[in-house]
Amino acid sequence: LEGANTNLLRQSVQLQTSARVSREITSILQIDDLLRQVVRLIRDAFGYARVQVYLVDPTAGDLTLRASSTLSKPEFQRLRIGEGSLNGEAAQSGQPVVSNDVASDPRYLPDDSGPAIRSELVIPLRVGGMVIGTLDVHSCESNAVGEGDVLVIQSLADQTAVAIQNTRLYDRSRQLVALEERGRLARELHDSVTQMIFGMTLTAESARLLL
């Protein structure tokens, strides 16, 4: 009975956190502010030792660390998509990757710049069937990731992916507005210069006739 109550309490906290994350991140329009808030909320709510977000760099074709609740080694700032790391595998497969005993998992990248990690869960961030990054959570406890944890973090990852897409669309709309404004100013400048040259031509012609 005590175990059942503990599970119910944990599920309640998870649902509340999911709703809170959804409320707080939907209004953030700067991607770095958004990702910092995501890792902070998830870390504080679930007590994970480390929460990270990697985003796909389409130019380089790898994963770039964009937000982390703790410092990370420089060599883990960029990861190859594919085999070699839990994040790389999740980004390639588009499926959650769980390691409940990282000490015996060759895909785990040991990082002694933070607390000792025992379990790791990586969820791909997907938009329209395309992986745009990963949400990576670490625990100091072995066997810390259960089926319920995967479902909850998956929900948070889905919300985060949508929020990331919103920030990108917002940036593009601002760029389009800026381009339109530049075009308008260029047209006005062109018209002004044309009118000025026309006026100077008339003045010069009038002066010639007077002379």
Side-chain angles (χ1 to χ4, degrees), residues 2 24 27 67 69 80 160 191 195:
E2 183 178 351
E24 294 199 20
S27 60
S69 59
R80 185 171 58 86
T160 301
D191 292 343
Q195 290 173 7

Side-chain angles (χ1 to χ4, degrees), residues 191-206:
D191 292 343
S192 298
V193 171
T194 300
Q195 290 173 7
M196 183 176 65
I197 292 174
F198 181 68
M200 291 171 65
T201 302
L202 288 178
T203 301
E205 182 63 19
S206 299

Side-chain angles (χ1 to χ4, degrees), residues 10-11 14 48 121 145-154:
R10 179 177 176 82
Q11 290 174 8
Q14 290 174 338
Y48 286 117
L121 165 64
V145 181
E147 184 177 346
D149 300 286
V150 175
L151 292 175
V152 170
I153 301 302
Q154 177 72 71

Side-chain angles (χ1 to χ4, degrees), residues 10-134:
R10 179 177 176 82
Q11 290 174 8
S12 176
V13 171
Q14 290 174 338
L15 290 173
Q16 290 174 15
T17 302
S18 180
R20 182 184 174 194
V21 170
S22 180
R23 286 195 308 270
E24 294 199 20
I25 68 177
T26 50
S27 60
I28 302 176
L29 297 176
Q30 297 297 325
I31 191 165
D32 290 327
D33 294 339
L34 165 69
L35 298 180
R36 282 194 294 267
Q37 184 74 336
V38 166
V39 299
R40 185 186 66 79
L41 286 171
I42 295 176
R43 179 202 61 193
D44 293 349
F46 298 105
Y48 286 117
R50 178 184 291 129
V51 181
Q52 302 181 137
V53 174
Y54 284 87
L55 294 184
V56 173
D57 181 345
T59 303
D62 58 13
L63 292 167
T64 302
L65 182 64
R66 293 294 300 271
S68 178
S69 59
T70 63
L71 295 175
S72 295
K73 286 183 175 180
E75 57 264 37
F76 298 151
Q77 301 292 315
R78 300 187 78 92
L79 301 176
R80 185 171 58 86
I81 295 175
E83 297 179 358
S85 69
L86 295 166
N87 280 279
E89 184 174 315
Q92 183 181 55
S93 67
Q95 300 297 322
V97 176
V98 178
S99 179
N100 270 315
D101 181 16
V102 297
S104 60
D105 193 331
R107 301 170 299 175
Y108 174 67
L109 302 178
D111 189 343
D112 55 11
S113 61
I117 303 302
R118 298 288 181 267
S119 303
E120 184 175 359
L121 165 64
V122 183
I123 302 288
L125 300 171
R126 301 169 60 94
V127 173
M130 180 176 67
V131 175
I132 63 170
T134 57

